[in-house]
Coordinates of all heavy atoms in Angstrom, one line a residue:
Chain B
Q1343 N -81.7 -53.1 23.3 CA -82.0 -54.3 22.7 C -80.8 -54.7 21.8 O -80.3 -55.8 21.8 CB -83.3 -54.2 21.9 CG -83.8 -55.5 21.4 CD -85.0 -56.0 22.2 OE1 -85.4 -55.3 23.1 NE2 -85.5 -57.1 21.9
G1344 N -80.4 -53.7 21.0 CA -79.3 -54.0 20.0 C -78.0 -54.3 20.7 O -77.3 -55.2 20.2
A1345 N -77.8 -53.6 21.8 CA -76.5 -53.9 22.5 C -76.5 -55.3 23.1 O -75.5 -56.0 22.9 CB -76.4 -52.9 23.7
C1346 N -77.6 -55.8 23.6 CA -77.6 -57.1 24.1 C -77.5 -58.1 23.0 O -76.8 -59.2 23.2 CB -79.0 -57.4 24.8 SG -78.9 -57.1 26.6
A1347 N -78.0 -57.8 21.8 CA -77.9 -58.7 20.7 C -76.4 -58.9 20.3 O -76.1 -60.0 19.8 CB -78.7 -58.2 19.5
C1348 N -75.6 -57.9 20.5 CA -74.2 -58.0 20.1 C -73.3 -58.7 21.1 O -72.3 -59.3 20.7 CB -73.7 -56.6 19.9 SG -74.5 -55.7 18.5
R1349 N -73.7 -58.7 22.3 CA -72.8 -59.3 23.3 C -73.4 -60.5 24.0 O -72.6 -61.3 24.6 CB -72.5 -58.3 24.4 CG -73.7 -57.9 25.3 CD -73.4 -57.1 26.5 NE -73.3 -57.8 27.7 CZ -74.3 -58.2 28.4 NH1 -75.6 -57.8 28.1 NH2 -74.2 -58.8 29.6
G1350 N -74.7 -60.7 23.9 CA -75.3 -61.8 24.7 C -74.7 -63.2 24.5 O -74.3 -63.8 25.4
D1351 N -74.5 -63.6 23.3 CA -74.0 -64.9 23.0 C -72.5 -65.0 23.4 O -72.1 -66.0 24.0 CB -74.1 -65.2 21.5 CG -74.0 -66.7 21.2 OD1 -74.7 -67.5 21.9 OD2 -73.2 -67.1 20.4
R1352 N -71.8 -64.0 23.2 CA -70.3 -64.0 23.6 C -70.2 -64.2 25.1 O -69.4 -65.0 25.6 CB -69.7 -62.7 23.2 CG -69.7 -62.4 21.7 CD -68.7 -63.3 21.0 NE -68.8 -63.2 19.5 CZ -69.6 -63.9 18.8 NH1 -70.4 -64.8 19.4 NH2 -69.7 -63.7 17.5
E1353 N -71.0 -63.5 25.8 CA -70.9 -63.6 27.3 C -71.3 -65.0 27.8 O -70.8 -65.5 28.7 CB -71.7 -62.5 28.0 CG -71.1 -62.0 29.3 CD -71.2 -60.5 29.5 OE1 -71.1 -59.8 28.5 OE2 -71.3 -60.1 30.6
R1354 N -72.3 -65.5 27.1 CA -72.8 -66.9 27.4 C -71.6 -67.9 27.2 O -71.4 -68.8 28.0 CB -74.0 -67.3 26.6 CG -75.3 -66.8 27.3 CD -76.5 -67.5 26.6 NE -76.6 -67.0 25.2 CZ -77.2 -65.9 24.9 NH1 -77.8 -65.1 25.8 NH2 -77.3 -65.5 23.6
Q1355 N -70.9 -67.7 26.1 CA -69.8 -68.6 25.8 C -68.7 -68.5 26.8 O -68.2 -69.5 27.3 CB -69.3 -68.3 24.4 CG -70.2 -68.5 23.3 CD -69.8 -68.0 21.9 OE1 -69.0 -67.1 21.9 NE2 -70.2 -68.6 20.9
L1356 N -68.5 -67.2 27.2 CA -67.5 -67.0 28.3 C -67.9 -67.7 29.5 O -67.1 -68.4 30.2 CB -67.4 -65.5 28.5 CG -66.0 -64.9 28.9 CD1 -64.9 -65.5 28.2 CD2 -66.1 -63.4 28.8
A1357 N -69.1 -67.6 29.9 CA -69.6 -68.2 31.1 C -69.5 -69.7 31.0 O -69.1 -70.4 32.0 CB -71.1 -67.8 31.4

Side-chain angles (χ1 to χ4, degrees):
Chain B
Q1343 192 103 1
C1346 265
C1348 295
R1349 69 172 256 278
D1351 200 50
R1352 297 287 173 271
E1353 210 140 327
R1354 273 191 296 274
Q1355 294 171 335
L1356 210 44

